[in-house]
Amino acid sequence: MKILSDTILSKSAFHADVDVPIDRFDIADWLFNLPEAEYQRCCPPDHIACGVTTSDDGRTMMINVEMIGTGLVVQHYVAEKVSPTYCRMNSISDVFTSAGRTQVNVIWELSAEGIDGGRTRYTNSVTAHPTDSFMDFIKQHGVSYEDAAKARQDAGGDHNSRETPLFAASIARRSLGQKR
């Protein structure tokens, strides 16, 4: 499968500020220790399941199952960069639609920066790239790339806007040692 990395299918980034100093904020700790029930609370009813595993070559992976628009998406995120204030996750994601199954490439970037007043600004950025199999899929179903991209942008942007503040609050609680 080929990723069309020079083509953007959708892209969104949202921010949320929390009352946690940047030196206590730890995205990586949260991401790789996230209980499934907490993941589900971070974007109901879209978030279905999550788990942490490893790739064949030993890299840390996170598997997320969620609804984005009308598609059931199984994301196989491989950790490319990991730190308390920045994680870059890369997935070849399976998308199940009423018309069948296809795959897209999703880059998920979670980042944090210190802001005034000892607070932290969390940013949740999601960029999707088509694959050659996705391009074949939409062609077979008579869907233009422009229509597919608009649908993905609308659904992905809506989903990201709802999960970002809930992710930020969840990371903040864990960073402060608080329970839900």
Side-chain angles (χ1 to χ4, degrees), residues 26-148:
D26 194 334
I27 297 168
D29 176 62
W30 171 82
L31 188 62
F32 300 117
N33 293 288
L34 180 62
E36 185 174 70
E38 181 68 0
Y39 174 75
Q40 292 167 345
R41 285 187 288 268
C42 286
C43 195
D46 296 0
H47 286 183
I48 298 167
C50 74
V52 176
T53 186
T54 57
S55 64
D56 274 349
D57 61 4
R59 292 182 292 166
T60 302
M61 288 182 67
M62 183 178 197
I63 307 296
N64 293 350
V65 180
E66 59 190 344
M67 291 295 297
I68 299 180
T70 59
L72 177 67
V73 184
V74 179
Q75 298 168 325
H76 312 266
Y77 283 116
V78 176
E80 291 184 336
K81 295 182 182 176
V82 176
S83 78
T85 58
Y86 180 75
C87 291
R88 179 183 163 96
M89 309 295 287
N90 190 335
S91 172
I92 298 298
S93 298
D94 296 297
V95 182
F96 297 85
T97 73
S98 60
R101 176 182 175 182
T102 189
Q103 293 178 310
V104 297
N105 172 237
V106 180
I107 308 297
W108 180 24
E109 293 176 280
L110 306 85
S111 62
E113 62 180 323
I115 57 174
D116 291 341
R119 304 180 78 217
T120 296
R121 174 163 294 143
Y122 170 73
T123 301
N124 200 63
S125 176
V126 181
T127 304
H129 300 280
T131 63
D132 55 353
S133 66
F134 176 83
M135 299 303 278
D136 291 344
F137 180 83
I138 62 173
K139 183 178 179 182
Q140 290 170 359
H141 292 91
V143 176
S144 72
Y145 179 78
E146 292 76 16
D147 288 346

Side-chain angles (χ1 to χ4, degrees), residues 8-14 109 125-128 149 152-153 156-157 160:
I8 294 178
L9 182 59
S10 65
K11 184 172 185 151
S12 65
F14 291 91
E109 293 176 280
S125 176
V126 181
T127 304
R152 172 66 193 202
Q153 182 66 44
N160 192 3

Side-chain angles (χ1 to χ4, degrees), residues 4-19:
L4 306 177
S5 57
D6 59 338
T7 304
I8 294 178
L9 182 59
S10 65
K11 184 172 185 151
S12 65
F14 291 91
H15 313 283
D17 298 346
V18 291
D19 291 324

Side-chain angles (χ1 to χ4, degrees), residues 148-174:
K150 181 177 181 341
R152 172 66 193 202
Q153 182 66 44
D154 292 348
D158 171 67
H159 180 87
N160 192 3
S161 73
R162 291 182 290 116
E163 74 184 356
T164 296
L166 299 174
F167 278 165
S170 180
I171 299 166
R173 281 191 302 276
R174 180 164 180 94

